[in-house]
Amino acid sequence: MEGVLDLYFYRRVGFWLAEFFARLKMTPAAVTWLAGLCGIVAGHLYYYRDLRVNIVGMVLHVCANALDNADGQLARLTHRESREGRIIDSIADHLVFVSIYVHLTLRYLVEGSSPAICLLALAAGISHALQGAAADYYRSTYLYFVTATAQTGMDSSSGLRSDYRKLRWRTRPWDKLLLALYLNFTRQQEMLAPRVKKLRDTVGALFHGQLPAWLRERYRSSARPMFKWWGLLMTNNRMLVLFALLFIGQPIWYFWFELIPLNLLFVILIFRQENMAESLLEIAESSRATV
């Protein structure tokens, strides 16, 4: 499910960092915020036209990704995995890319570019958010279907809404704010993949969480070939393209990269994934009817 750069670099460096932070008694949330800080500073350094400054930003960007990998491994290593940790991790990731988009936009505005670049950056940022949300949702859904241990970690907007209503702004404002952000994020994911959501809900009701082996294997064989393409919508691919464009002094093309090729790939993958879900839903319902 992960790319070569994740498997052979970030995972290994992340685990070494996780062991190091465990010895220091650091919490996963602290590592997450450290990763976010590195990424935000990296975004600021992309504002300058000096390539040497940009390279320092690239190094910090890689450090941010390594730390982002380490926080999850630290959580598992110290048995501190939690929904709050996943929410904070998502917020930190979004802040990093907001910093990158804002500073790249300012870089061109101060040089006299048309204010229309703000609209270009906004459209690219929205595209990025939607692509990342869908990729994350399909990854979680894949784990839900093919592994027994991940099923309890798959949140739905209906369940989150119930938890959200139980919290009070007066007594637990931070927890309620985090859950509100997470609820909104989950709603976006479900809106992007309505058939996948319906498949998950229907299968859960039909088989009461005990998914048959044939369904697991069918989902695995159908969904797995698409992961190499979903990987192109994840952080590493964007980062490498951004680095290349910074080296040639044309980071504005990063916005167009988001808007044209990545959005085209995004639409194709959504279409294929939704068709796959509809097909599996029909099979699941017919097989249950014959039992």
Side-chain angles (χ1 to χ4, degrees), residues 138-212:
Y138 286 126
R139 181 180 183 275
S140 299
T141 301
Y142 182 85
L143 291 174
Y144 173 86
F145 276 97
V146 305
T147 67
T149 57
Q151 291 189 39
T152 56
M154 188 73 181
D155 291 312
S156 66
S157 59
S158 57
L160 292 173
R161 192 180 302 110
S162 176
D163 293 342
Y164 175 78
R165 289 170 177 168
K166 295 176 183 177
L167 298 177
R168 294 290 178 268
W169 286 108
R170 183 178 299 178
T171 57
R172 299 176 63 183
W174 175 245
D175 292 336
K176 194 170 180 71
L177 174 62
L178 289 181
L179 198 55
L181 294 172
Y182 190 44
L183 174 58
N184 182 63
F185 180 68
T186 304
R187 283 172 176 163
Q188 291 177 0
Q189 290 180 316
E190 293 176 350
M191 289 174 62
L192 288 168
R195 293 178 186 171
V196 172
K197 180 183 183 301
K198 184 177 180 181
L199 172 65
R200 192 193 72 191
D201 293 344
T202 302
V203 164
L206 288 175
F207 301 104
H208 308 290
Q210 302 298 319
L211 306 187

Side-chain angles (χ1 to χ4, degrees), residues 218-279:
R218 190 69 177 262
Y219 192 95
R220 184 198 304 271
S221 61
S222 299
R224 192 169 183 177
M226 286 183 275
F227 268 107
K228 63 181 179 181
W229 301 109
W230 280 113
L232 296 177
L233 299 178
M234 302 302 282
T235 300
N236 290 340
N237 182 52
R238 287 187 173 89
M239 180 187 72
L240 294 174
V241 170
L242 176 60
F243 288 2
L245 292 171
L246 285 166
F247 268 109
I248 65 175
Q250 296 295 329
I252 191 173
W253 288 104
Y254 176 74
F255 297 150
W256 291 110
F257 174 70
E258 280 283 0
L259 285 172
I260 300 175
L262 290 191
N263 268 341
L264 179 60
L265 176 62
F266 175 55
V267 171
I268 293 172
L269 288 175
I270 286 283
F271 180 77
R272 291 185 58 185
Q273 197 91 31
E274 289 290 276
N275 283 346
M276 180 203 74
E278 186 173 21
S279 176

